[in-house]
Structure formats: C-alpha cells, structure tokens
Amino acid sequence: MELYSDAYFMNEAFKQAKIAFEEDEIPVGAVLVCRNKVIARAYNQTEKLRDVTAHAEILAITAGSNALGAKYLPECKLYVTLEPCVMCAGASFWSQLGELHYAAPDPKRGFSLLSSSILHPKTKVYKGLMAQESKELLNAFFKKLRN
Amino acid sequence: MELYSDAYFMNEAFKQAKIAFEEDEIPVGAVLVCRNKVIARAYNQTEKLRDVTAHAEILAITAGSNALGAKYLPECKLYVTLEPCVMCAGASFWSQLGELHYAAPDPKRGFSLLSSSILHPKTKVYKGLMAQESKELLNAFFKKLRN
C-alpha cells in the first residue's frame, strides 16, 4: 500500500477549497482520512445550501461517519485549510477525532481564540501546512467579493 | 392571530425530547420559532444517523433555514430542552439567532462553561423554563441505559 503524506492530504483539502472558490463560497476545504485513505471530501457550502452549519468540516465529519458507519472517528484525521471555528471544533470533540491538521489560522473565529479545551483531549493538533496558499485563496475570495 | 407563550414553545421542544427518549436517543428536543410559528422541530438523532453532529439544535437550524430559505435567523427563537454544547452554540452564532431559550443547564458540556461569547452578541438568552422536566427525562434515559 502506498503511503500518502500529510502534504498530500492537505493538498486534497486545498483542492476542495478551490472548488468552493469557483462556486462563490468562502473557500475552505476539508478531507477526512482513515487508515491512509480519503473517506470524505467537502467544501464550505453555506451559500448554496443556505445553511450556516454547512462548513467543510461538518460536512466531512457527517459524510465520513456515514462512509464508515460509525459515529466516532478516533482513527481518522481531518485536514482542513482554515482553523476550525468553535462549532466545527465542537463537532470534532464529539467525534473523538484522532488528528486535526489545519492550514491557515483564523484570527477572528478560530476555536483556539477561546480555548483549546474545546477539542477532545485525545485529538492531536498539527498546523501550518499550506497555510500561505490557503490564506491567499481566502484573501483572493474576499477581494473578489468586494469588487 | 393567537399568540403562543414561551412555555407553549418549550413544551413543543419537550415533546420532541420525548420522541428521542422513545427512540433510544439522548432525549433532547428543539423547536425553531419565527414570528410566533414553529418552522422546525427536531430531536437528537446521533444514534440513528450515526452522526455526532445530529444534535437537535443543528437539525432545527438546518431545517429552519431550509424552511425560510434564509441562512440568518435574527427573527427566530430556538427553544431547546438542554443547554446547547459548544458546537450548537457555535452554530447559533453563525445563524445570528435572535433568542435562545433553554431548559436544563448542562454542567458537563454546556457552552456557558467555556464562554458566553460563543453566542452571537445579539442573541438574547433565557433559561430555566421546564428545566426540571427536561432534566428528569435525561436522568430517566441514563437510568434506562444502565439497566
């Protein structure tokens, strides 16, 4: 079995963010990985679904649980291009997520502004991979929105 | 137009919690009310859907937004039988919820343990209505689970 790197998976999440960009959604993408395999891909769809809960992470957790037939995801890794908000961090808590990898920090609504204890105590956190590209894509989106 | 009271709406949420109880779900129910009308009813379905994000509040916000065709809910009131967790409080933030009414406090996972700034600054909070009944239903559920 070929083993993929964190960079590979984050790039898969970034591809999802680019789809969001093309569809005029705030460009955040996520993939959920279980045993070296992507089991869910999702991007922010709050506009299309007119649903504030349709963040990439929530959609990936729901789809991944459905794919696995399991509520809990202790062997799964979530790769997401932006630091999760409180809602998404709370969802990852309930899922008992194994690893959270996020690219760009979110200085306005990131969960870590409030408390890192929002996450499950067993969730390992990694950050910074593809942070620059992810942030630039967000900046380009908001620039497009203003014009 | 007949005007309904907060007690009426909380009782509607409680009816949802009782459905959850009957279906062996942690008994939490919610209704979303807009202009004196229930636009969504939901109960916790994390077991049935095998999805940790399927809390009553998330389902009610998603269904209510769908019913209104609107992402934001500043004129809506959410009635829920248990204090929302961080995930659900975060969802209510994004929805710009007008009013949050909850029955029983959740001393383990309630959002207020962390920070009340998880809620949107414009969301008014009311608590305690039907707290006793809601807590007893939860206690009965966990007692049933242990037996």
PDB file of all heavy atoms in Angstrom, chain A residues 22-56:
ATOM      1  N   GLU A  22     -14.466  28.614  -6.763  1.00  0.00           N
ATOM      2  CA  GLU A  22     -15.103  28.681  -8.087  1.00  0.00           C
ATOM      3  C   GLU A  22     -16.620  28.816  -7.963  1.00  0.00           C
ATOM      4  O   GLU A  22     -17.269  29.378  -8.834  1.00  0.00           O
ATOM      5  CB  GLU A  22     -14.765  27.426  -8.913  1.00  0.00           C
ATOM      6  CG  GLU A  22     -13.299  27.315  -9.312  1.00  0.00           C
ATOM      7  CD  GLU A  22     -12.810  28.530 -10.105  1.00  0.00           C
ATOM      8  OE1 GLU A  22     -13.591  29.057 -10.920  1.00  0.00           O
ATOM      9  OE2 GLU A  22     -11.661  28.970  -9.883  1.00  0.00           O
ATOM     10  N   GLU A  23     -17.167  28.254  -6.874  1.00  0.00           N
ATOM     11  CA  GLU A  23     -18.619  28.291  -6.686  1.00  0.00           C
ATOM     12  C   GLU A  23     -19.081  29.457  -5.805  1.00  0.00           C
ATOM     13  O   GLU A  23     -20.204  29.458  -5.288  1.00  0.00           O
ATOM     14  CB  GLU A  23     -19.086  26.940  -6.112  1.00  0.00           C
ATOM     15  CG  GLU A  23     -18.796  25.798  -7.075  1.00  0.00           C
ATOM     16  CD  GLU A  23     -19.419  24.466  -6.679  1.00  0.00           C
ATOM     17  OE1 GLU A  23     -20.148  24.411  -5.672  1.00  0.00           O
ATOM     18  OE2 GLU A  23     -19.147  23.479  -7.368  1.00  0.00           O
ATOM     19  N   ASP A  24     -18.185  30.439  -5.642  1.00  0.00           N
ATOM     20  CA  ASP A  24     -18.506  31.650  -4.868  1.00  0.00           C
ATOM     21  C   ASP A  24     -18.869  31.374  -3.416  1.00  0.00           C
ATOM     22  O   ASP A  24     -19.692  32.076  -2.817  1.00  0.00           O
ATOM     23  CB  ASP A  24     -19.623  32.463  -5.554  1.00  0.00           C
ATOM     24  CG  ASP A  24     -19.154  33.032  -6.885  1.00  0.00           C
ATOM     25  OD1 ASP A  24     -17.957  33.356  -6.985  1.00  0.00           O
ATOM     26  OD2 ASP A  24     -19.971  33.114  -7.816  1.00  0.00           O
ATOM     27  N   GLU A  25     -18.264  30.349  -2.870  1.00  0.00           N
ATOM     28  CA  GLU A  25     -18.379  30.080  -1.430  1.00  0.00           C
ATOM     29  C   GLU A  25     -17.066  30.499  -0.773  1.00  0.00           C
ATOM     30  O   GLU A  25     -16.007  30.443  -1.405  1.00  0.00           O
ATOM     31  CB  GLU A  25     -18.563  28.571  -1.170  1.00  0.00           C
ATOM     32  CG  GLU A  25     -19.803  27.955  -1.780  1.00  0.00           C
ATOM     33  CD  GLU A  25     -21.049  28.148  -0.921  1.00  0.00           C
ATOM     34  OE1 GLU A  25     -20.926  28.721   0.181  1.00  0.00           O
ATOM     35  OE2 GLU A  25     -22.128  27.750  -1.367  1.00  0.00           O
ATOM     36  N   ILE A  26     -17.114  30.868   0.497  1.00  0.00           N
ATOM     37  CA  ILE A  26     -15.865  31.147   1.219  1.00  0.00           C
ATOM     38  C   ILE A  26     -14.993  29.901   1.088  1.00  0.00           C
ATOM     39  O   ILE A  26     -15.429  28.789   1.405  1.00  0.00           O
ATOM     40  CB  ILE A  26     -16.146  31.482   2.695  1.00  0.00           C
ATOM     41  CG1 ILE A  26     -16.919  32.808   2.788  1.00  0.00           C
ATOM     42  CG2 ILE A  26     -14.833  31.582   3.487  1.00  0.00           C
ATOM     43  CD1 ILE A  26     -17.304  33.206   4.213  1.00  0.00           C
ATOM     44  N   PRO A  27     -13.775  30.067   0.528  1.00  0.00           N
ATOM     45  CA  PRO A  27     -13.006  28.889   0.123  1.00  0.00           C
ATOM     46  C   PRO A  27     -12.291  28.171   1.276  1.00  0.00           C
ATOM     47  O   PRO A  27     -11.149  28.472   1.610  1.00  0.00           O
ATOM     48  CB  PRO A  27     -12.006  29.450  -0.891  1.00  0.00           C
ATOM     49  CG  PRO A  27     -11.817  30.867  -0.476  1.00  0.00           C
ATOM     50  CD  PRO A  27     -13.118  31.325   0.114  1.00  0.00           C
ATOM     51  N   VAL A  28     -12.998  27.236   1.841  1.00  0.00           N
ATOM     52  CA  VAL A  28     -12.425  26.344   2.855  1.00  0.00           C
ATOM     53  C   VAL A  28     -12.747  24.919   2.420  1.00  0.00           C
ATOM     54  O   VAL A  28     -13.895  24.623   2.062  1.00  0.00           O
ATOM     55  CB  VAL A  28     -13.023  26.610   4.254  1.00  0.00           C
ATOM     56  CG1 VAL A  28     -12.401  25.672   5.286  1.00  0.00           C
ATOM     57  CG2 VAL A  28     -12.806  28.065   4.661  1.00  0.00           C
ATOM     58  N   GLY A  29     -11.728  24.077   2.447  1.00  0.00           N
ATOM     59  CA  GLY A  29     -11.915  22.686   2.048  1.00  0.00           C
ATOM     60  C   GLY A  29     -11.417  21.749   3.120  1.00  0.00           C
ATOM     61  O   GLY A  29     -10.587  22.111   3.952  1.00  0.00           O
ATOM     62  N   ALA A  30     -11.949  20.525   3.102  1.00  0.00           N
ATOM     63  CA  ALA A  30     -11.545  19.534   4.108  1.00  0.00           C
ATOM     64  C   ALA A  30     -11.593  18.138   3.511  1.00  0.00           C
ATOM     65  O   ALA A  30     -12.396  17.862   2.610  1.00  0.00           O
ATOM     66  CB  ALA A  30     -12.478  19.600   5.319  1.00  0.00           C
ATOM     67  N   VAL A  31     -10.712  17.285   4.000  1.00  0.00           N
ATOM     68  CA  VAL A  31     -10.844  15.860   3.717  1.00  0.00           C
ATOM     69  C   VAL A  31     -10.700  15.103   5.036  1.00  0.00           C
ATOM     70  O   VAL A  31      -9.976  15.530   5.945  1.00  0.00           O
ATOM     71  CB  VAL A  31      -9.815  15.314   2.688  1.00  0.00           C
ATOM     72  CG1 VAL A  31      -9.995  15.959   1.325  1.00  0.00           C
ATOM     73  CG2 VAL A  31      -8.389  15.464   3.177  1.00  0.00           C
ATOM     74  N   LEU A  32     -11.415  14.007   5.119  1.00  0.00           N
ATOM     75  CA  LEU A  32     -11.302  13.136   6.286  1.00  0.00           C
ATOM     76  C   LEU A  32     -10.605  11.864   5.824  1.00  0.00           C
ATOM     77  O   LEU A  32     -10.981  11.264   4.805  1.00  0.00           O
ATOM     78  CB  LEU A  32     -12.694  12.814   6.842  1.00  0.00           C
ATOM     79  CG  LEU A  32     -12.704  12.142   8.220  1.00  0.00           C
ATOM     80  CD1 LEU A  32     -12.213  13.095   9.301  1.00  0.00           C
ATOM     81  CD2 LEU A  32     -14.116  11.663   8.573  1.00  0.00           C
ATOM     82  N   VAL A  33      -9.563  11.494   6.561  1.00  0.00           N
ATOM     83  CA  VAL A  33      -8.707  10.376   6.165  1.00  0.00           C
ATOM     84  C   VAL A  33      -8.775   9.307   7.244  1.00  0.00           C
ATOM     85  O   VAL A  33      -8.681   9.614   8.442  1.00  0.00           O
ATOM     86  CB  VAL A  33      -7.247  10.868   5.998  1.00  0.00           C
ATOM     87  CG1 VAL A  33      -6.292   9.710   5.785  1.00  0.00           C
ATOM     88  CG2 VAL A  33      -7.166  11.867   4.845  1.00  0.00           C
ATOM     89  N   CYS A  34      -8.978   8.082   6.819  1.00  0.00           N
ATOM     90  CA  CYS A  34      -8.981   6.977   7.771  1.00  0.00           C
ATOM     91  C   CYS A  34      -8.101   5.870   7.225  1.00  0.00           C
ATOM     92  O   CYS A  34      -8.288   5.433   6.079  1.00  0.00           O
ATOM     93  CB  CYS A  34     -10.418   6.487   7.976  1.00  0.00           C
ATOM     94  SG  CYS A  34     -10.580   5.412   9.406  1.00  0.00           S
ATOM     95  N   ARG A  35      -7.116   5.466   7.997  1.00  0.00           N
ATOM     96  CA  ARG A  35      -6.171   4.436   7.566  1.00  0.00           C
ATOM     97  C   ARG A  35      -5.601   4.719   6.174  1.00  0.00           C
ATOM     98  O   ARG A  35      -5.693   3.875   5.283  1.00  0.00           O
ATOM     99  CB  ARG A  35      -6.833   3.067   7.621  1.00  0.00           C
ATOM    100  CG  ARG A  35      -7.205   2.706   9.059  1.00  0.00           C
ATOM    101  CD  ARG A  35      -7.920   1.393   9.175  1.00  0.00           C
ATOM    102  NE  ARG A  35      -8.382   1.217  10.547  1.00  0.00           N
ATOM    103  CZ  ARG A  35      -9.131   0.197  10.951  1.00  0.00           C
ATOM    104  NH1 ARG A  35      -9.477  -0.757  10.104  1.00  0.00           N
ATOM    105  NH2 ARG A  35      -9.518   0.111  12.200  1.00  0.00           N
ATOM    106  N   ASN A  36      -5.080   5.947   6.055  1.00  0.00           N
ATOM    107  CA  ASN A  36      -4.365   6.327   4.824  1.00  0.00           C
ATOM    108  C   ASN A  36      -5.266   6.457   3.600  1.00  0.00           C
ATOM    109  O   ASN A  36      -4.778   6.459   2.477  1.00  0.00           O
ATOM    110  CB  ASN A  36      -3.243   5.315   4.561  1.00  0.00           C
ATOM    111  CG  ASN A  36      -2.222   5.819   3.567  1.00  0.00           C
ATOM    112  OD1 ASN A  36      -1.826   6.991   3.615  1.00  0.00           O
ATOM    113  ND2 ASN A  36      -1.813   4.956   2.647  1.00  0.00           N
ATOM    114  N   LYS A  37      -6.577   6.551   3.829  1.00  0.00           N
ATOM    115  CA  LYS A  37      -7.496   6.652   2.698  1.00  0.00           C
ATOM    116  C   LYS A  37      -8.469   7.820   2.936  1.00  0.00           C
ATOM    117  O   LYS A  37      -8.982   7.976   4.044  1.00  0.00           O
ATOM    118  CB  LYS A  37      -8.271   5.339   2.600  1.00  0.00           C
ATOM    119  CG  LYS A  37      -9.074   5.179   1.330  1.00  0.00           C
ATOM    120  CD  LYS A  37      -9.797   3.834   1.345  1.00  0.00           C
ATOM    121  CE  LYS A  37     -10.954   3.850   0.366  1.00  0.00           C
ATOM    122  NZ  LYS A  37     -11.852   2.711   0.553  1.00  0.00           N
ATOM    123  N   VAL A  38      -8.687   8.600   1.876  1.00  0.00           N
ATOM    124  CA  VAL A  38      -9.678   9.681   1.991  1.00  0.00           C
ATOM    125  C   VAL A  38     -11.063   9.056   1.993  1.00  0.00           C
ATOM    126  O   VAL A  38     -11.451   8.380   1.041  1.00  0.00           O
ATOM    127  CB  VAL A  38      -9.548  10.681   0.813  1.00  0.00           C
ATOM    128  CG1 VAL A  38     -10.675  11.708   0.874  1.00  0.00           C
ATOM    129  CG2 VAL A  38      -8.195  11.364   0.829  1.00  0.00           C
ATOM    130  N   ILE A  39     -11.807   9.268   3.093  1.00  0.00           N
ATOM    131  CA  ILE A  39     -13.161   8.705   3.145  1.00  0.00           C
ATOM    132  C   ILE A  39     -14.232   9.785   2.952  1.00  0.00           C
ATOM    133  O   ILE A  39     -15.405   9.462   2.773  1.00  0.00           O
ATOM    134  CB  ILE A  39     -13.429   7.925   4.459  1.00  0.00           C
ATOM    135  CG1 ILE A  39     -13.314   8.840   5.687  1.00  0.00           C
ATOM    136  CG2 ILE A  39     -12.508   6.715   4.577  1.00  0.00           C
ATOM    137  CD1 ILE A  39     -13.917   8.216   6.943  1.00  0.00           C
ATOM    138  N   ALA A  40     -13.837  11.046   2.981  1.00  0.00           N
ATOM    139  CA  ALA A  40     -14.805  12.119   2.703  1.00  0.00           C
ATOM    140  C   ALA A  40     -14.070  13.366   2.240  1.00  0.00           C
ATOM    141  O   ALA A  40     -12.991  13.687   2.747  1.00  0.00           O
ATOM    142  CB  ALA A  40     -15.636  12.432   3.950  1.00  0.00           C
ATOM    143  N   ARG A  41     -14.648  14.044   1.273  1.00  0.00           N
ATOM    144  CA  ARG A  41     -14.132  15.323   0.769  1.00  0.00           C
ATOM    145  C   ARG A  41     -15.271  16.320   0.847  1.00  0.00           C
ATOM    146  O   ARG A  41     -16.402  15.986   0.477  1.00  0.00           O
ATOM    147  CB  ARG A  41     -13.744  15.199  -0.712  1.00  0.00           C
ATOM    148  CG  ARG A  41     -12.595  14.280  -1.000  1.00  0.00           C
ATOM    149  CD  ARG A  41     -12.492  13.985  -2.502  1.00  0.00           C
ATOM    150  NE  ARG A  41     -11.752  12.748  -2.698  1.00  0.00           N
ATOM    151  CZ  ARG A  41     -10.429  12.679  -2.813  1.00  0.00           C
ATOM    152  NH1 ARG A  41      -9.725  13.799  -2.816  1.00  0.00           N
ATOM    153  NH2 ARG A  41      -9.824  11.525  -2.931  1.00  0.00           N
ATOM    154  N   ALA A  42     -14.985  17.520   1.295  1.00  0.00           N
ATOM    155  CA  ALA A  42     -16.074  18.502   1.402  1.00  0.00           C
ATOM    156  C   ALA A  42     -15.528  19.917   1.328  1.00  0.00           C
ATOM    157  O   ALA A  42     -14.360  20.161   1.643  1.00  0.00           O
ATOM    158  CB  ALA A  42     -16.827  18.322   2.721  1.00  0.00           C
ATOM    159  N   TYR A  43     -16.376  20.826   0.877  1.00  0.00           N
ATOM    160  CA  TYR A  43     -16.025  22.245   0.919  1.00  0.00           C
ATOM    161  C   TYR A  43     -17.216  23.022   1.446  1.00  0.00           C
ATOM    162  O   TYR A  43     -18.343  22.533   1.428  1.00  0.00           O
ATOM    163  CB  TYR A  43     -15.583  22.748  -0.466  1.00  0.00           C
ATOM    164  CG  TYR A  43     -16.590  22.538  -1.567  1.00  0.00           C
ATOM    165  CD1 TYR A  43     -17.523  23.518  -1.879  1.00  0.00           C
ATOM    166  CD2 TYR A  43     -16.604  21.355  -2.304  1.00  0.00           C
ATOM    167  CE1 TYR A  43     -18.450  23.336  -2.893  1.00  0.00           C
ATOM    168  CE2 TYR A  43     -17.539  21.156  -3.309  1.00  0.00           C
ATOM    169  CZ  TYR A  43     -18.455  22.144  -3.603  1.00  0.00           C
ATOM    170  OH  TYR A  43     -19.377  21.950  -4.595  1.00  0.00           O
ATOM    171  N   ASN A  44     -16.909  24.173   1.957  1.00  0.00           N
ATOM    172  CA  ASN A  44     -17.925  25.053   2.526  1.00  0.00           C
ATOM    173  C   ASN A  44     -19.071  25.289   1.534  1.00  0.00           C
ATOM    174  O   ASN A  44     -18.845  25.652   0.387  1.00  0.00           O
ATOM    175  CB  ASN A  44     -17.239  26.384   2.877  1.00  0.00           C
ATOM    176  CG  ASN A  44     -18.215  27.410   3.361  1.00  0.00           C
ATOM    177  OD1 ASN A  44     -19.072  27.110   4.182  1.00  0.00           O
ATOM    178  ND2 ASN A  44     -18.102  28.624   2.840  1.00  0.00           N
ATOM    179  N   GLN A  45     -20.279  25.061   1.977  1.00  0.00           N
ATOM    180  CA  GLN A  45     -21.441  25.237   1.095  1.00  0.00           C
ATOM    181  C   GLN A  45     -22.534  26.043   1.786  1.00  0.00           C
ATOM    182  O   GLN A  45     -23.719  25.824   1.517  1.00  0.00           O
ATOM    183  CB  GLN A  45     -22.011  23.878   0.683  1.00  0.00           C
ATOM    184  CG  GLN A  45     -21.067  23.048  -0.159  1.00  0.00           C
ATOM    185  CD  GLN A  45     -21.778  21.879  -0.837  1.00  0.00           C
ATOM    186  OE1 GLN A  45     -22.862  22.017  -1.385  1.00  0.00           O
ATOM    187  NE2 GLN A  45     -21.163  20.718  -0.778  1.00  0.00           N
ATOM    188  N   THR A  46     -22.139  26.983   2.619  1.00  0.00           N
ATOM    189  CA  THR A  46     -23.147  27.732   3.376  1.00  0.00           C
ATOM    190  C   THR A  46     -24.068  28.547   2.468  1.00  0.00           C
ATOM    191  O   THR A  46     -25.245  28.727   2.780  1.00  0.00           O
ATOM    192  CB  THR A  46     -22.494  28.664   4.424  1.00  0.00           C
ATOM    193  OG1 THR A  46     -21.481  29.424   3.792  1.00  0.00           O
ATOM    194  CG2 THR A  46     -21.888  27.873   5.557  1.00  0.00           C
ATOM    195  N   GLU A  47     -23.530  29.040   1.349  1.00  0.00           N
ATOM    196  CA  GLU A  47     -24.379  29.822   0.437  1.00  0.00           C
ATOM    197  C   GLU A  47     -25.326  28.921  -0.345  1.00  0.00           C
ATOM    198  O   GLU A  47     -26.529  29.136  -0.360  1.00  0.00           O
ATOM    199  CB  GLU A  47     -23.515  30.648  -0.537  1.00  0.00           C
ATOM    200  CG  GLU A  47     -22.738  31.765   0.138  1.00  0.00           C
ATOM    201  CD  GLU A  47     -23.638  32.746   0.884  1.00  0.00           C
ATOM    202  OE1 GLU A  47     -24.747  33.035   0.420  1.00  0.00           O
ATOM    203  OE2 GLU A  47     -23.222  33.211   1.965  1.00  0.00           O
ATOM    204  N   LYS A  48     -24.755  27.908  -0.968  1.00  0.00           N
ATOM    205  CA  LYS A  48     -25.572  27.035  -1.812  1.00  0.00           C
ATOM    206  C   LYS A  48     -26.692  26.363  -1.011  1.00  0.00           C
ATOM    207  O   LYS A  48     -27.839  26.297  -1.458  1.00  0.00           O
ATOM    208  CB  LYS A  48     -24.686  25.950  -2.439  1.00  0.00           C
ATOM    209  CG  LYS A  48     -25.396  25.159  -3.533  1.00  0.00           C
ATOM    210  CD  LYS A  48     -24.582  23.958  -3.993  1.00  0.00           C
ATOM    211  CE  LYS A  48     -23.312  24.407  -4.701  1.00  0.00           C
ATOM    212  NZ  LYS A  48     -22.440  23.271  -5.051  1.00  0.00           N
ATOM    213  N   LEU A  49     -26.353  25.884   0.168  1.00  0.00           N
ATOM    214  CA  LEU A  49     -27.345  25.197   0.991  1.00  0.00           C
ATOM    215  C   LEU A  49     -28.122  26.170   1.884  1.00  0.00           C
ATOM    216  O   LEU A  49     -29.047  25.763   2.572  1.00  0.00           O
ATOM    217  CB  LEU A  49     -26.671  24.112   1.851  1.00  0.00           C
ATOM    218  CG  LEU A  49     -25.928  23.017   1.078  1.00  0.00           C
ATOM    219  CD1 LEU A  49     -25.318  22.007   2.047  1.00  0.00           C
ATOM    220  CD2 LEU A  49     -26.863  22.294   0.114  1.00  0.00           C
ATOM    221  N   ARG A  50     -27.738  27.431   1.872  1.00  0.00           N
ATOM    222  CA  ARG A  50     -28.337  28.429   2.772  1.00  0.00           C
ATOM    223  C   ARG A  50     -28.425  27.878   4.184  1.00  0.00           C
ATOM    224  O   ARG A  50     -29.500  27.826   4.791  1.00  0.00           O
ATOM    225  CB  ARG A  50     -29.733  28.838   2.290  1.00  0.00           C
ATOM    226  CG  ARG A  50     -29.676  29.813   1.141  1.00  0.00           C
ATOM    227  CD  ARG A  50     -31.036  30.461   0.908  1.00  0.00           C
ATOM    228  NE  ARG A  50     -31.054  31.121  -0.403  1.00  0.00           N
ATOM    229  CZ  ARG A  50     -32.064  31.035  -1.260  1.00  0.00           C
ATOM    230  NH1 ARG A  50     -33.115  30.324  -0.967  1.00  0.00           N
ATOM    231  NH2 ARG A  50     -32.018  31.673  -2.398  1.00  0.00           N
ATOM    232  N   ASP A  51     -27.283  27.416   4.660  1.00  0.00           N
ATOM    233  CA  ASP A  51     -27.249  26.728   5.953  1.00  0.00           C
ATOM    234  C   ASP A  51     -25.908  27.038   6.610  1.00  0.00           C
ATOM    235  O   ASP A  51     -24.861  26.603   6.134  1.00  0.00           O
ATOM    236  CB  ASP A  51     -27.401  25.220   5.710  1.00  0.00           C
ATOM    237  CG  ASP A  51     -27.380  24.404   6.996  1.00  0.00           C
ATOM    238  OD1 ASP A  51     -27.124  24.976   8.071  1.00  0.00           O
ATOM    239  OD2 ASP A  51     -27.599  23.188   6.914  1.00  0.00           O
ATOM    240  N   VAL A  52     -25.977  27.793   7.697  1.00  0.00           N
ATOM    241  CA  VAL A  52     -24.727  28.193   8.365  1.00  0.00           C
ATOM    242  C   VAL A  52     -23.947  27.015   8.940  1.00  0.00           C
ATOM    243  O   VAL A  52     -22.769  27.147   9.259  1.00  0.00           O
ATOM    244  CB  VAL A  52     -24.975  29.210   9.507  1.00  0.00           C
ATOM    245  CG1 VAL A  52     -25.544  30.507   8.966  1.00  0.00           C
ATOM    246  CG2 VAL A  52     -25.856  28.627  10.601  1.00  0.00           C
ATOM    247  N   THR A  53     -24.605  25.866   9.074  1.00  0.00           N
ATOM    248  CA  THR A  53     -23.880  24.710   9.623  1.00  0.00           C
ATOM    249  C   THR A  53     -23.111  23.947   8.544  1.00  0.00           C
ATOM    250  O   THR A  53     -22.386  23.004   8.871  1.00  0.00           O
ATOM    251  CB  THR A  53     -24.828  23.722  10.349  1.00  0.00           C
ATOM    252  OG1 THR A  53     -25.573  22.966   9.391  1.00  0.00           O
ATOM    253  CG2 THR A  53     -25.778  24.430  11.290  1.00  0.00           C
ATOM    254  N   ALA A  54     -23.250  24.354   7.276  1.00  0.00           N
ATOM    255  CA  ALA A  54     -22.636  23.581   6.182  1.00  0.00           C
ATOM    256  C   ALA A  54     -21.174  23.954   5.959  1.00  0.00           C
ATOM    257  O   ALA A  54     -20.732  24.142   4.822  1.00  0.00           O
ATOM    258  CB  ALA A  54     -23.466  23.749   4.914  1.00  0.00           C
ATOM    259  N   HIS A  55     -20.417  24.032   7.040  1.00  0.00           N
ATOM    260  CA  HIS A  55     -18.973  24.229   6.925  1.00  0.00           C
ATOM    261  C   HIS A  55     -18.337  22.936   6.408  1.00  0.00           C
ATOM    262  O   HIS A  55     -18.877  21.839   6.616  1.00  0.00           O
ATOM    263  CB  HIS A  55     -18.382  24.589   8.291  1.00  0.00           C
ATOM    264  CG  HIS A  55     -18.632  26.009   8.704  1.00  0.00           C
ATOM    265  ND1 HIS A  55     -17.964  26.612   9.747  1.00  0.00           N
ATOM    266  CD2 HIS A  55     -19.476  26.952   8.199  1.00  0.00           C
ATOM    267  CE1 HIS A  55     -18.384  27.866   9.870  1.00  0.00           C
ATOM    268  NE2 HIS A  55     -19.308  28.088   8.954  1.00  0.00           N
ATOM    269  N   ALA A  56     -17.176  23.090   5.773  1.00  0.00           N
ATOM    270  CA  ALA A  56     -16.475  21.934   5.196  1.00  0.00           C
ATOM    271  C   ALA A  56     -16.276  20.817   6.226  1.00  0.00           C
ATOM    272  O   ALA A  56     -16.480  19.634   5.930  1.00  0.00           O
ATOM    273  CB  ALA A  56     -15.117  22.394   4.649  1.00  0.00           C
TER     274      ALA A  56
END
